[in-house]
Amino acid sequence: MARQSIHNRRAGRGSTGGGASWISYSDMMAALLLIFVLILTYSLYQYFTMLETKTAELETQQKLVLAQQTLLDDREAELGVLQISLDDKQKELDAANARLLTREEQLALLQAQLGEKEAALTEATAKLEEQQIALAAQARRLDDLVGVRTNIIRDLSASLTAADLKAKVDANGSIVLDSAVFFETAKSEIKEEGKALLDRFIPVYLNVLLSGEYSDYLGEIIIEGHTDSTGTYDNNLKLSQQRALQVALYVLNMPGLSTRQRTLLQQILTATGKSWADLVYDENGREDPEASRRVEFKFSLRDEDMIEEMQRILQENDLE
């Protein structure tokens, strides 16, 4: 009992000391806890404050991002429109390039054609110049020939008048001799009266035509026989040819011809019969048989065929 009492007292003293220590520890722990809580609370406050700030900043950033996104979307939309416009422009450009290429091809073709036309024009111009030179030369020859024919007609008329021969030279240089002087009706033998006329006429005629002034221009001397319309054309054709031939042969064999005259005549003298193909009519339009029965002496100049062809071409050009 005594031990127990002592133990209890010891225990009681020990408990009182331990309790005080515990209280002090507890207070310290409480203080620490309070400090921790305060720190935690402050930390949480700081955290939430910072969180709110960051949240606000984030929202602001999000708004900025949203605004930027909206702006970007608008830009993308504008870019899409511009891309569509660019595509359209590209298509137009491609089409324009295609047209340009086609135009270039056409231009190249036209240039080639133009080159050909220019070459043809140059060639045609050269030919035209040659033709103009030739035409000018022909015109000079024509003027010469016209002058020569005029001079021959003038000299023939003067020579026949001087020889007292009543043969008339017309505007073409033809001389008509009355057939009745040369031939009996339906005959082709030359009468003495006709021979006498030829003996007077031919020397005068040839002295002009075969003179040195005109012989180089002379192309042909033609003796034509003509009849009236009595009888058939065939018989009159034979008769007119025979009469023209007899006159031509008489002229070629005339003793008074010089060697030069005879040689020239053999080269240019021809005889032809016209039957009644070229009748003569009086002022009333009726046939004049005596005038129709005739022998004509004609001449042509060397270039007259060429001149007639040139005149025909010029007339055709005038018609065009």
Side-chain angles (χ1 to χ4, degrees), residues 292-303:
S292 295
R293 296 189 294 270
R294 66 197 187 276
V295 173
E296 289 190 24
F297 282 78
K298 296 182 176 182
F299 67 87
S300 65
L301 301 179
R302 289 189 179 210
D303 291 337

Side-chain angles (χ1 to χ4, degrees), residues 95-108:
N97 287 334
R99 290 195 298 271
L100 179 61
L101 182 60
T102 302
R103 293 292 175 83
E104 288 177 349
E105 292 175 351
Q106 292 176 347
L107 180 60

Side-chain angles (χ1 to χ4, degrees), residues 122-138 140:
T122 302
E123 183 179 357
T125 302
K127 289 183 179 179
L128 179 60
E129 291 176 352
E130 292 176 0
Q131 291 174 351
Q132 288 175 338
I133 293 172
L135 185 61
Q138 290 175 347
R140 288 193 297 271

Side-chain angles (χ1 to χ4, degrees), residues 10-129:
R10 290 179 178 175
R13 287 196 298 271
S15 297
T16 301
S21 299
W22 175 253
I23 292 172
S24 296
Y25 178 76
S26 296
D27 290 338
M28 185 184 63
M29 292 302 293
L32 290 175
L33 179 60
L34 178 59
I35 292 171
F36 176 76
V37 170
L38 289 174
I39 293 172
L40 179 62
T41 300
Y42 180 76
S43 298
L44 288 174
Y45 174 77
Q46 289 292 329
Y47 171 75
F48 282 111
T49 300
M50 186 179 62
L51 180 61
E52 288 177 359
T53 301
K54 294 298 183 182
T55 301
E57 291 178 357
L58 182 59
E59 289 176 353
T60 301
Q61 292 294 327
Q62 286 177 343
K63 289 178 181 179
L64 289 174
V65 170
L66 182 59
Q68 292 294 329
Q69 185 64 43
T70 302
L71 182 60
L72 182 60
D73 292 341
D74 293 340
R75 296 298 184 189
E76 288 180 352
E78 292 176 1
L79 184 59
V81 173
L82 290 174
Q83 185 63 44
I84 293 173
S85 177
L86 182 60
D87 292 340
D88 293 339
K89 295 297 183 182
Q90 185 63 44
K91 291 179 181 178
E92 292 177 1
L93 181 60
D94 292 340
N97 287 334
R99 290 195 298 271
L100 179 61
L101 182 60
T102 302
R103 293 292 175 83
E104 288 177 349
E105 292 175 351
Q106 292 176 347
L107 180 60
L109 178 61
L110 289 175
Q111 287 176 338
Q113 292 176 347
L114 179 60
E116 294 176 357
K117 293 293 179 63
E118 288 177 347
L121 179 60
T122 302
E123 183 179 357
T125 302
K127 289 183 179 179
L128 179 60
E129 291 176 352

Side-chain angles (χ1 to χ4, degrees), residues 139-153:
R140 288 193 297 271
R141 291 166 68 186
L142 177 61
D143 292 339
D144 292 343
L145 288 173
V146 170
V148 168
R149 179 175 287 277
T150 301
N151 292 338
I152 290 175
I153 292 172

